[in-house]
């Protein structure tokens, strides 16, 4: 029997990689998209004839219930969110509605329509915030530092609550930062890789960034979507940290990215106060032991490979050699 998966947030970075991965596993894919005056299908354009796009919104409970009733998925991957941390400071209520309460709307829709549907919640290392333990595991206490982190923490706990209250197969994947050539241009890694490519091609001379000392556990998004799928194949739902187990600073990302094209980062990077946050997450590093032992998952792409892949893809993109979907 062909399995059916519903992916919310299919137009985002992770949604596009997950759709590719599940298609390879033989799934029938329903990608939930929200109504927009312009089409935002750039990341899934190459999959259009292999997936069905279906309309609903995490802000609208009835639309979610109708969606589940009509398409009857076996598995739901909730990747939709307002996911950009600075926007969560400027739009905290919207972020709470989508990234926090949206999870409850979807869980409740599953409970009402068919509680045997398995559901994955995209939780985040941002929940660890001002970390109280290094490295962070599934048992590390949380200390979010942004409205986004607070909203994700609500989503995490409501997932556990629905698992325990209604016996749902509801799993929370606590994923550390994962990047790719499909990353939004506002996130620091893509901002750097795109900026480096523009400078290399003579279209810019400087790159303005915020806190260069922030450290993140950065992996490749294409590796991480496999962990999401593995979680829903387990007999019992659980929580999993998904990470590389290494941390690097924004400064190191710059060094490698500029060096890859023969440039000195210090001649081009300008620190601009505008990109600092009201409260910062200084250091994230995950311990993926549980994911390794229970799922057999490990990150396959190294930090250096990731940085170089992103810079090469942006050089290609800017020179018209590909669509940004490598
Ligand atoms: P992304 O590129 O920002 O994609 C977010 C997706 O959510 C987009 O498809 C967006 O649709 C959709 N969306 C936003 N508001 C919605 C609403 N009200 N109703 C329905 N859909 C809505 O995010 P990502 O990097 O792929 O991340 C996927 C998920 O993992 C997110 O929940 C994120 O918070 C979480 N996460 C990401 C990371 C990471 O490092 N990437 C780490 C941990 C957790 P539009 O295209 O219409 O805007
Ligand atoms: O790339 P970022 O914006 O990602 P951030 O805040 O870590 O959030 C991402 O990862 C989370 C997982 O931990 C996800 F849940 C979330 O959805 C998102 O995908 O910023 C990374 C670091 C920050 O410390 C920031 O202050 O880079 C620093 N930074 C320095 N200059 C900058 C800049 N960030 C951005 N976006 N732009 C800058 O110019």
């Amino acid at each position: 029997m062909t399995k059916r998966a519903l992916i919310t947030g299919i137009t985002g970075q992770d949604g596009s990689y997950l759709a590719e991965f599940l298609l390879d596993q033989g799934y029938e894919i329903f990608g939930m998209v929200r109504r927009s005056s312009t089409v935002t299908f750039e990341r899934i354009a190459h999959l259009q004839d292999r997936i069905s796009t279906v309309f609903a919104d995490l802000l609208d409970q009835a639309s979610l219930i109708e969606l589940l009733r009509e398409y009857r998925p076996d598995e739901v991957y909730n990747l939709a969110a307002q996911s950009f941390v600075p926007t969560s400071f400027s739009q905290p209520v919207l972020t709470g509605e989508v990234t926090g309460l949206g999870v409850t709307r979807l869980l409740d829709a599953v409970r009402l329509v068919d509680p045997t549907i398995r559901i994955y919640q995209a939780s985040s290392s941002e929940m660890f915030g001002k970390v109280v333990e290094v490295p962070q595991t599934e048992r590390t206490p949380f200390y979010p530092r942004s409205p986004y982190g607070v909203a994700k923490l609500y989503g995490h706990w409501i997932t556990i609550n629905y698992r325990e209250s209604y016996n749902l197969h509801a799993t929370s994947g606590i994923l550390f930062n994962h990047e790719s050539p499909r990353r939004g241009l506002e996130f620091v890694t893509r901002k750097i890789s795109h900026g480096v490519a523009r400078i290399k091609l003579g279209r810019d001379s400087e790159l303005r960034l915020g806190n260069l000392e922030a450290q993140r556990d950065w992996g490749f998004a294409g590796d991480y979507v496999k962990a999401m799928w593995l979680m829903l194949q387990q007999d019992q739902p659980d929580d999993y940290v998904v990470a590389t187990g290494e941390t690097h600073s924004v400064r190191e990302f710059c060094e490698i990215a500029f060096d890859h094209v023969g440039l000195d980062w210090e001649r081009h990077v300008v620190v601009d106060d505008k990109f600092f946050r009201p409260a910062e997450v200084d250091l994230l590093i995950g311990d993926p032991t549980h994911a390794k032992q229970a799922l057999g998952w490990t990150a396959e792409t190294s930090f250096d490979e990731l940085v170089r892949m992103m810079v090469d893809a942006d050089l290609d993109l800017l020179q018209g050699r590909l669509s940004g979907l490598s």
Side-chain angles (χ1 to χ4, degrees):
M1 281 263 291
T2 303
K3 274 199 191 172
R4 297 153 75 90
L6 174 73
I7 303 175
T8 76
I10 195 163
T11 55
Q13 170 189 258
D14 291 6
S16 64
Y17 283 109
L18 180 64
E20 285 171 4
F21 179 82
L22 294 180
L23 282 169
D24 285 347
Q25 306 301 313
Y27 278 69
E28 184 177 4
I29 307 290
F30 300 94
M32 189 184 105
V33 296
R34 55 180 173 162
R35 195 266 163 186
S36 161
S37 67
T38 52
V39 170
T40 57
F41 293 178
E42 191 183 320
R43 295 186 180 102
I44 52 167
H46 62 300
L47 303 174
Q48 285 286 36
D49 56 346
R50 301 171 67 201
I51 62 176
S52 305
T53 46
V54 293
F55 284 86
D57 198 304
L58 280 189
L59 295 174
D60 188 303
Q61 174 89 50
S63 72
L64 301 171
I65 292 171
E66 281 304 314
L67 205 61
L68 296 181
R69 275 199 189 132
E70 190 169 350
Y71 298 103
R72 292 285 173 165
D74 300 288
E75 297 170 8
V76 173
Y77 295 85
N78 184 33
L79 309 186
Q82 189 306 94
S83 76
F84 190 46
V85 171
T87 297
S88 80
F89 285 104
S90 58
Q91 299 180 11
V93 175
L94 175 80
T95 302
E97 284 284 357
V98 179
T99 305
L101 272 180
V103 185
T104 309
R105 293 190 189 97
L106 192 57
L107 285 163
D108 222 34
V110 166
R111 178 181 72 82
L112 290 167
V113 174
D114 179 358
T116 69
I117 294 172
R118 296 184 174 198
I119 179 164
Y120 169 84
Q121 167 56 19
S123 293
S124 166
S125 53
E126 182 75 12
M127 302 187 303
F128 294 119
K130 189 172 180 178
V131 298
V132 301
E133 185 177 52
V134 177
Q136 294 86 52
T137 74
E138 294 79 7
R139 290 165 306 286
T140 300
F142 300 109
Y143 190 152
R145 294 273 280 173
S146 64
Y148 168 81
V150 173
K152 278 288 175 189
L153 189 49
Y154 172 86
H156 174 69
W157 280 116
I158 199 72
T159 301
I160 293 169
N161 181 258
Y162 268 57
R163 178 198 304 163
E164 294 175 353
S165 305
Y166 305 114
N167 206 24
L168 294 191
H169 194 295
T171 279
S172 178
I174 307 173
L175 270 54
F176 282 61
N177 297 51
H178 44 281
E179 318 293 318
S180 75
R182 301 181 198 175
R183 190 55 143 151
L185 284 166
E186 67 274 39
F187 297 91
V188 77
T189 56
R190 184 78 197 287
K191 187 173 169 183
I192 296 169
S193 65
H194 198 255
V196 165
R198 286 184 64 82
I199 292 168
K200 180 64 183 174
L201 297 175
R203 299 189 197 179
D204 259 331
S205 58
E206 67 175 28
L207 174 62
R208 303 186 83 81
L209 296 172
N211 179 13
L212 302 181
E213 309 313 325
Q215 291 174 268
R216 290 290 182 276
D217 181 328
W218 276 300
F220 172 50
D223 292 345
Y224 284 40
V225 296
K226 184 178 179 187
M228 299 176 188
W229 173 74
L230 284 167
M231 289 178 212
L232 291 202
Q233 309 319 303
Q234 306 307 303
D235 290 340
Q236 298 301 324
D238 201 350
D239 308 319
Y240 298 91
V241 158
V242 176
T244 69
E246 274 182 35
T247 195
H248 298 274
S249 64
V250 173
R251 180 188 296 271
E252 279 177 84
F253 197 105
C254 287
E255 281 170 10
I256 296 173
F258 278 92
D259 187 60
H260 184 52
V261 296
L263 294 172
D264 177 357
W265 73 278
E266 288 182 287
R267 294 173 64 111
H268 300 282
V269 171
V270 177
V271 172
D272 186 335
D273 286 350
K274 189 169 79 181
F275 297 109
F276 281 73
R277 297 172 182 186
E280 176 63 292
V281 172
D282 296 315
L283 164 71
L284 291 174
I285 176 166
D287 174 356
T289 302
H290 180 46
K292 185 171 186 183
Q293 288 175 349
L295 308 175
W297 181 89
T298 47
E300 287 170 20
T301 309
S302 74
F303 179 65
D304 281 34
E305 285 169 341
L306 174 67
V307 179
R308 289 196 294 267
M309 174 207 304
M310 291 179 69
V311 172
D312 287 342
D314 273 320
L315 280 168
D316 286 347
L317 181 68
L318 289 172
Q319 294 175 104
R321 287 202 291 262
L322 89 176
S323 66
L325 287 171
S326 63

